[in-house]
mmCIF file of all heavy atoms in Angstrom:
data_model
loop_
_atom_site.group_PDB
_atom_site.id
_atom_site.type_symbol
_atom_site.label_atom_id
_atom_site.label_comp_id
_atom_site.label_asym_id
_atom_site.label_seq_id
_atom_site.Cartn_x
_atom_site.Cartn_y
_atom_site.Cartn_z
ATOM 1 N N GLU A 368 -118.207 -82.822 -37.990
ATOM 2 C CA GLU A 368 -118.172 -81.561 -37.275
ATOM 3 C C GLU A 368 -116.807 -80.885 -37.400
ATOM 4 O O GLU A 368 -116.777 -79.622 -37.550
ATOM 5 C CB GLU A 368 -118.643 -81.666 -35.816
ATOM 6 C CG GLU A 368 -120.032 -82.138 -35.674
ATOM 7 C CD GLU A 368 -120.398 -82.357 -34.146
ATOM 8 O OE1 GLU A 368 -119.881 -81.600 -33.339
ATOM 9 O OE2 GLU A 368 -121.191 -83.302 -33.911
ATOM 10 N N LEU A 369 -115.757 -81.669 -37.288
ATOM 11 C CA LEU A 369 -114.467 -81.119 -37.357
ATOM 12 C C LEU A 369 -114.187 -80.593 -38.788
ATOM 13 O O LEU A 369 -113.665 -79.438 -38.862
ATOM 14 C CB LEU A 369 -113.393 -82.305 -37.073
ATOM 15 C CG LEU A 369 -111.921 -81.744 -37.285
ATOM 16 C CD1 LEU A 369 -111.609 -80.563 -36.372
ATOM 17 C CD2 LEU A 369 -110.947 -82.914 -36.985
ATOM 18 N N LEU A 370 -114.622 -81.311 -39.820
ATOM 19 C CA LEU A 370 -114.526 -80.798 -41.142
ATOM 20 C C LEU A 370 -115.238 -79.487 -41.337
ATOM 21 O O LEU A 370 -114.758 -78.604 -41.965
ATOM 22 C CB LEU A 370 -114.961 -81.863 -42.148
ATOM 23 C CG LEU A 370 -114.111 -83.164 -42.238
ATOM 24 C CD1 LEU A 370 -114.750 -84.103 -43.267
ATOM 25 C CD2 LEU A 370 -112.685 -82.937 -42.407
ATOM 26 N N ASP A 371 -116.478 -79.351 -40.838
ATOM 27 C CA ASP A 371 -117.206 -78.149 -40.946
ATOM 28 C C ASP A 371 -116.413 -77.028 -40.357
ATOM 29 O O ASP A 371 -116.397 -75.846 -40.790
ATOM 30 C CB ASP A 371 -118.524 -78.298 -40.305
ATOM 31 C CG ASP A 371 -119.477 -79.181 -40.984
ATOM 32 O OD1 ASP A 371 -119.289 -79.504 -42.216
ATOM 33 O OD2 ASP A 371 -120.450 -79.702 -40.324
ATOM 34 N N THR A 372 -115.819 -77.272 -39.049
ATOM 35 C CA THR A 372 -115.044 -76.213 -38.383
ATOM 36 C C THR A 372 -113.864 -75.864 -39.207
ATOM 37 O O THR A 372 -113.501 -74.679 -39.281
ATOM 38 C CB THR A 372 -114.650 -76.684 -37.013
ATOM 39 O OG1 THR A 372 -115.822 -77.033 -36.292
ATOM 40 C CG2 THR A 372 -113.942 -75.634 -36.290
ATOM 41 N N ILE A 373 -113.115 -76.812 -39.736
ATOM 42 C CA ILE A 373 -111.940 -76.565 -40.497
ATOM 43 C C ILE A 373 -112.364 -75.666 -41.737
ATOM 44 O O ILE A 373 -111.593 -74.666 -42.066
ATOM 45 C CB ILE A 373 -111.292 -77.904 -40.994
ATOM 46 C CG1 ILE A 373 -110.694 -78.641 -39.881
ATOM 47 C CG2 ILE A 373 -110.237 -77.582 -42.046
ATOM 48 C CD1 ILE A 373 -109.538 -78.016 -39.164
ATOM 49 N N ASN A 374 -113.385 -76.050 -42.385
ATOM 50 C CA ASN A 374 -113.900 -75.247 -43.516
ATOM 51 C C ASN A 374 -114.122 -73.830 -43.157
ATOM 52 O O ASN A 374 -114.120 -72.864 -44.064
ATOM 53 C CB ASN A 374 -115.023 -75.864 -44.223
ATOM 54 C CG ASN A 374 -114.684 -77.271 -44.904
ATOM 55 O OD1 ASN A 374 -113.484 -77.425 -45.241
ATOM 56 N ND2 ASN A 374 -115.597 -78.066 -45.023
ATOM 57 N N GLU A 375 -114.525 -73.544 -41.898
ATOM 58 C CA GLU A 375 -114.716 -72.124 -41.424
ATOM 59 C C GLU A 375 -113.401 -71.436 -41.177
ATOM 60 O O GLU A 375 -113.189 -70.295 -41.478
ATOM 61 C CB GLU A 375 -115.619 -72.128 -40.300
ATOM 62 C CG GLU A 375 -117.087 -72.435 -40.533
ATOM 63 C CD GLU A 375 -117.887 -72.399 -39.202
ATOM 64 O OE1 GLU A 375 -117.399 -71.663 -38.259
ATOM 65 O OE2 GLU A 375 -118.962 -73.009 -39.125
ATOM 66 N N LEU A 376 -112.556 -72.212 -40.545
ATOM 67 C CA LEU A 376 -111.251 -71.654 -40.014
ATOM 68 C C LEU A 376 -110.378 -71.117 -41.172
ATOM 69 O O LEU A 376 -109.757 -70.014 -41.067
ATOM 70 C CB LEU A 376 -110.476 -72.669 -39.257
ATOM 71 C CG LEU A 376 -110.923 -73.090 -37.847
ATOM 72 C CD1 LEU A 376 -110.229 -74.294 -37.311
ATOM 73 C CD2 LEU A 376 -110.808 -71.827 -36.869
ATOM 74 N N VAL A 377 -110.362 -71.788 -42.269
ATOM 75 C CA VAL A 377 -109.522 -71.378 -43.382
ATOM 76 C C VAL A 377 -109.843 -70.070 -43.989
ATOM 77 O O VAL A 377 -109.030 -69.322 -44.529
ATOM 78 C CB VAL A 377 -109.520 -72.434 -44.569
ATOM 79 C CG1 VAL A 377 -108.906 -73.722 -44.075
ATOM 80 C CG2 VAL A 377 -110.899 -72.617 -45.085
ATOM 81 N N GLY A 378 -111.055 -69.544 -43.689
ATOM 82 C CA GLY A 378 -111.587 -68.344 -44.263
ATOM 83 C C GLY A 378 -111.332 -67.078 -43.293
ATOM 84 O O GLY A 378 -111.600 -65.997 -43.661
ATOM 85 N N VAL A 379 -110.893 -67.407 -42.062
ATOM 86 C CA VAL A 379 -110.789 -66.292 -41.108
ATOM 87 C C VAL A 379 -109.534 -65.411 -41.396
ATOM 88 O O VAL A 379 -109.604 -64.184 -41.373
ATOM 89 C CB VAL A 379 -110.633 -66.865 -39.692
ATOM 90 C CG1 VAL A 379 -110.348 -65.784 -38.656
ATOM 91 C CG2 VAL A 379 -111.906 -67.641 -39.225
ATOM 92 N N VAL A 380 -108.375 -66.023 -41.774
ATOM 93 C CA VAL A 380 -107.247 -65.300 -42.223
ATOM 94 C C VAL A 380 -106.954 -65.920 -43.602
ATOM 95 O O VAL A 380 -105.914 -66.734 -43.794
ATOM 96 C CB VAL A 380 -106.081 -65.459 -41.267
ATOM 97 C CG1 VAL A 380 -104.871 -64.592 -41.689
ATOM 98 C CG2 VAL A 380 -106.519 -65.014 -39.851
#
Side-chain angles (χ1 to χ4, degrees):
E368 294 176 34
L369 175 59
L370 296 183
D371 290 341
T372 303
I373 293 294
N374 291 335
E375 291 182 20
L376 287 170
V377 295
V379 177
V380 186

